[in-house]
Each structure stands twice: as structure tokens, then as C-alpha cells.
Amino acid sequence: MKASERKSLFDRNWYFYRGDVRNAESPVYNDSAWRKVDLPHDWSIEPLENQEPDKVVGPFSRESVGGFATGQTVGGKGWYRKTFIISPEDAGKRHELYFEGIYNQSEIWINGQKAYYNVYGYTSFRVDITPYCKPAGEKNIIAVKVINEGKNSRWYTGSGIYRHVWMIRTSPSYIEDWGTFISTNSIDKEQAVVILNTTIVNGDTEEGEYTVNINLTSPRGKVVSTTNSTVKMTSGNKHEIPFTITVKKPRLWSTDTPELYIANISLWKNKKKERRTIHPIRYSYHTFLYRKRI
């Protein structure tokens, strides 16, 4: 069997309970009575109990703490739980959960151990869950507690895991997910000079020699630039590697001709391939933009 892809959606088959319960972070907690949901999920748009004309209608309540500022909806507390198993093909890999957004305060447990606490509902965050996971083939339990209380916003926010969740799997040594930056130093019809910085992490237990290869592919699928850099890194070390890439006669991006170049970034350790990251990028006269796809 092939190993899992580097980044995959983690949205399906969660169990949800609206309210607070004791010991819901425990792996042995029985959540069979909870409601099954797929993410993204917002409990504040769900109908409230005890509907009463002119007071409680659907998800709206005149007694909402946030009032009209939060759309007369109700926050409170909620719990999410999900079971997952690491496949044998992914044994020994680093596993990371990427939450695009949870409103508002959230606590993350893996197999009963608290792995993270986030206090701001608008920020995305990543959690390295590798130290808390069981060996491949065994069941893991993730539990997420969410609190959205008080008048804490000037507009409707929703409550719960309101954006996507992703599972990211890498080798112990890897290209950092938010560690690649691209800018244009100069550009005209004849030539573009691109500055690319990428960060790699040595997560192995020993020193290693790491090589980053970059292949830049044109919108027509032709490799227009190839470069690499090699560094020695001790265990646990993080290193940012700069590159200067020259592209002859670049095809400039515009709304009429949305030309897209692809930067394929691969990491090798002692001449063995670790992982690859793909960055679609585009050139224009006035700005240089890129979209990151992992």
C-alpha cells in the first residue's frame, strides 16, 4: 500500500455535544449518545430549545449576551471528539493537526493528554500531535473543548470548529508548513529575479546532511530553472535557506492571462528523498503573488 498523502482533510465523522460535560477528554469516555457532525460546524446557527414567539425563534434569542452585535445568537460551551488510526505505512512519521479556525477558546487533547490551548478564535494554528499518538494500528482519540462566552465580538462569529481541519503527515525532518516565502526582486519582459526562502527542520535524533532542490516549472509545464542547496544540521535544528532564481522572458500574470508557474521544493537527507512541497506562483508587472498548496 502507498503511504498517505502529505495533507488531507480531517473533517468527517466527528461527534459533538453542545454543553459542558466532565471527563470528555478521557479516551474511555462514552460519546455514543453524541451527535455525529462533519466540519466545518457552527452550533450558534442551530435552533435553540424552548422556542418561544418573540423571545426564542430558531437560533435567535432576545437574551443573547452579544445582542444584535452577534446576531442575537447564543454561544456557550461545546465538545468535539474523533477517533483516528495511524496506518502502518505512516508509522514513524510526524503527524500534525492544522485547525483553520475554532471560535473562541479551544483546548485540544490527544488520548487524554492536553496538547494545545488556543485563546483567539480568528487565528489558524497547528498542533504537532506525534508525541501523544499511539503506535500505528492502534486507536487514537482527539477531544476538543470550545468555549464562546460573553460579548466578545462586534459581529457574528459563530461557535465551534467553524473552519476546516487538516491532518499533515511528514517525515521526522521536513519542510516547515509556513516557512516558505517568495518575492520578486526585479521583473520586466526579459527577466524576473525571484527570491525564495524556505525553512527546513531536522526532527531526527542525529546530525544529517540535507539538500533542498527547487524546480521551477513554466505554465506550459517546462522546467525553466533548477537550483539546490545543501546544509548540515544537528538534531532538532531549524534552518532557513535562501535562493535567488532567474527566469528568462517570464510569462506575466494578469486577469486576462493568468499564467501560473510552479515551484516544486523537495527535501533530501543524505541523498534520500524526504518530502516535496508544491508552490504555484505567478508574476505580474506590479506585484508578485503566490498561492501555497501542500
Side-chain angles (χ1 to χ4, degrees):
M1 295 177 63
K2 295 178 64 176
S4 302
E5 57 184 315
R6 188 181 194 271
K7 180 181 180 182
S8 58
L9 270 176
F10 204 63
D11 284 350
R12 297 181 63 83
N13 301 323
W14 288 77
Y15 286 86
F16 170 71
Y17 179 83
R18 184 171 181 171
D20 199 9
V21 290
R22 292 175 57 85
N23 302 320
E25 74 279 7
S26 172
V28 299
Y29 181 86
N30 183 2
D31 58 17
S32 60
W34 290 17
R35 180 157 55 95
K36 195 173 184 179
V37 299
D38 292 333
L39 306 179
H41 174 253
D42 173 10
W43 78 66
S44 285
I45 60 172
E46 298 176 348
L48 295 165
E49 297 180 355
N50 304 318
Q51 297 284 305
E52 184 178 343
D54 296 325
K55 187 173 181 180
V56 179
V57 179
F60 310 110
S61 172
R62 289 189 181 276
E63 296 181 354
S64 165
V65 175
F68 67 86
T70 55
Q72 299 293 158
T73 56
V74 178
K77 298 178 181 179
W79 281 89
Y80 297 85
R81 285 170 57 93
K82 180 179 171 72
T83 300
F84 65 98
I85 297 174
I86 296 174
S87 69
E89 293 74 27
D90 291 327
K93 289 184 181 179
R94 173 180 170 272
H95 286 71
E96 178 181 89
L97 286 175
Y98 169 31
F99 292 90
E100 290 189 1
I102 303 178
Y103 203 87
N104 181 16
Q105 301 175 45
S106 56
E107 299 176 61
I108 316 298
W109 282 271
I110 307 295
N111 296 322
Q113 300 182 72
K114 184 181 287 190
Y116 199 79
Y117 175 51
N118 189 60
V119 298
Y120 192 57
Y122 295 114
T123 55
S124 301
F125 60 94
R126 309 193 322 260
V127 185
D128 184 354
I129 63 173
T130 311
Y132 310 101
C133 289
K134 294 182 179 180
E138 297 186 23
K139 184 171 68 174
N140 296 279
I141 303 292
I142 173 174
V144 180
K145 181 180 180 180
V146 185
I147 300 176
N148 179 19
E149 293 183 329
K151 186 177 181 179
N152 54 45
S153 181
R154 292 174 293 169
W155 49 78
Y156 178 78
T157 61
S159 300
I161 308 178
Y162 68 98
R163 291 181 181 168
H164 294 298
V165 179
W166 301 83
M167 175 69 81
I168 299 174
R169 307 170 184 85
T170 71
S171 301
S173 296
Y174 57 96
I175 300 169
E176 194 169 64
D177 299 296
W178 295 341
T180 298
F181 300 90
I182 305 172
S183 61
T184 302
N185 189 50
S186 62
I187 188 169
D188 55 37
K189 289 184 177 180
E190 298 300 319
Q191 177 177 284
V193 178
V194 178
I195 306 301
L196 187 153
N197 292 271
T198 194
T199 300
I200 60 176
V201 180
N202 179 3
D204 288 308
T205 58
E206 57 186 23
E207 182 182 84
E209 183 177 270
Y210 292 89
T211 300
V212 175
N213 289 332
I214 299 178
N215 291 327
L216 190 66
T217 304
S218 74
R220 303 297 179 264
K222 179 182 178 181
V223 176
V224 296
S225 180
T226 299
T227 185
N228 64 73
S229 181
T230 299
V231 295
K232 283 188 176 181
M233 297 174 61
T234 57
S235 176
N237 193 21
K238 180 186 296 188
H239 192 82
E240 181 178 329
I241 303 177
F243 294 90
T244 300
I245 303 171
T246 301
V247 181
K248 300 295 184 182
K249 296 187 179 298
R251 303 181 68 93
L252 301 178
W253 185 94
S254 72
T255 54
D256 295 324
T257 58
E259 305 285 1
L260 194 65
Y261 285 72
I262 303 291
N264 293 280
I265 307 173
S266 58
L267 176 63
W268 300 69
K269 178 186 178 184
N270 300 330
K271 300 183 179 181
K272 180 180 178 182
K273 195 171 187 178
E274 295 287 288
R275 274 293 180 180
R276 183 179 70 179
T277 300
I278 302 174
H279 295 265
I281 57 180
R282 54 191 176 185
Y283 303 98
S284 68
Y285 279 116
H286 305 292
T287 60
F288 177 84
L289 305 174
Y290 85 100
R291 292 183 293 127
K292 180 176 178 180
R293 182 182 68 210
I294 298 178

